[in-house]
Amino acid sequence: MKTDGRMISGMTRLVVFSAMISGLPAATLSLTAVSDTSLYEISPDFNLGGTTLLAGTNQKVSRSRALFRFDLSSLPAGAVVTGVEVLLYCTRQPDPDQHTGPVASDFSLHRMRVSWGEGGGVNATGSVATAGDATWNERHYLGTSWGTPGGSGGIDYAGNPSATTSVGNVGLYGWGSSTELIDDVHSWLADPLSNFGFILVSGGESSPGSARRFASSEQSSTLAPAPQLIVTYIPEPSAGALAMMSLTGLCLFRRRVSYR
């Protein structure tokens, strides 16, 4: 049996099967990003950790990418994740009266493989980075560089996206639920130290006008919420409930056999 592209354990299989036969209700947990920032090619040594998130290519043909991470420690131990969705609110698109105007493009989430520093840079283009901040050139300013400036697919982040969504006008957008996103969360639950979050990359980086700004944890509002991770899961039942549900399943199985 598979839930996320990998064979799951016998205990997980039992929990899922028991939940199916008992009607155990799924629960949902909504998490807000605990750290987020952007990488801005036109200001390669600036940090944008205290302003809105930026991804895509602006009308000056400068690329940007957004980073954000979620803390999964509030997810109950033993929970079986069945659905994952990422929500981002686009707050701004390029001015339609300038150059080519806004261009819609596919934006992909990629799981990060390396750590990075959020920082607190403000203003539209950020502020000069301090030691440890993420910039276009370095994931930890004055310390550690990216594989290539802006991050390298297959080195700094997974080459294949976990989810992709087309972004055009201002508004709320969702990524998922996908097998890959579920796998991301499962891997972070198994190894919390590997949780470096996601990078948001536009597939239209070669197109001026594909840049979009998204609400961040510092620049969110009621109408423009910060990045959200929505996790749907089946809680792990108690030992007694698990035994009872398993017995029920066994009885149903025997009844089906006796009727053949």
Side-chain angles (χ1 to χ4, degrees), residues 46-111:
F46 276 37
N47 171 266
L48 287 81
T51 187
T52 49
L53 299 175
L54 183 61
T57 299
N58 65 16
Q59 292 162 323
K60 295 181 180 179
V61 198
S62 179
R63 295 173 293 168
S64 54
R65 295 169 177 180
L67 296 162
F68 43 91
R69 187 179 69 83
F70 303 93
D71 181 2
L72 300 175
S73 61
S74 59
L75 195 65
V80 178
V81 177
T82 59
V84 175
E85 185 177 20
V86 174
L87 300 178
L88 298 175
Y89 195 98
C90 176
T91 62
R92 186 177 178 182
Q93 60 181 343
D95 189 333
D97 296 326
Q98 293 184 5
H99 306 289
T100 59
V103 175
S105 71
D106 288 341
F107 283 75
S108 294
L109 291 176
H110 297 256
R111 177 168 45 177

Side-chain angles (χ1 to χ4, degrees), residues 175-199:
W175 284 257
S177 177
S178 68
T179 299
E180 291 78 11
L181 282 177
I182 294 174
D183 184 61
D184 292 340
V185 171
H186 276 169
S187 69
W188 293 333
L189 289 174
D191 181 13
L193 294 180
S194 71
N195 180 4
F196 304 121
F198 297 104
I199 187 169

Side-chain angles (χ1 to χ4, degrees), residues 119-142:
V122 294
N123 302 317
T125 59
S127 308
V128 175
T130 59
D133 294 351
T135 69
W136 181 265
N137 284 334
E138 299 174 270
R139 56 190 180 93
H140 294 289
Y141 186 62
L142 300 180

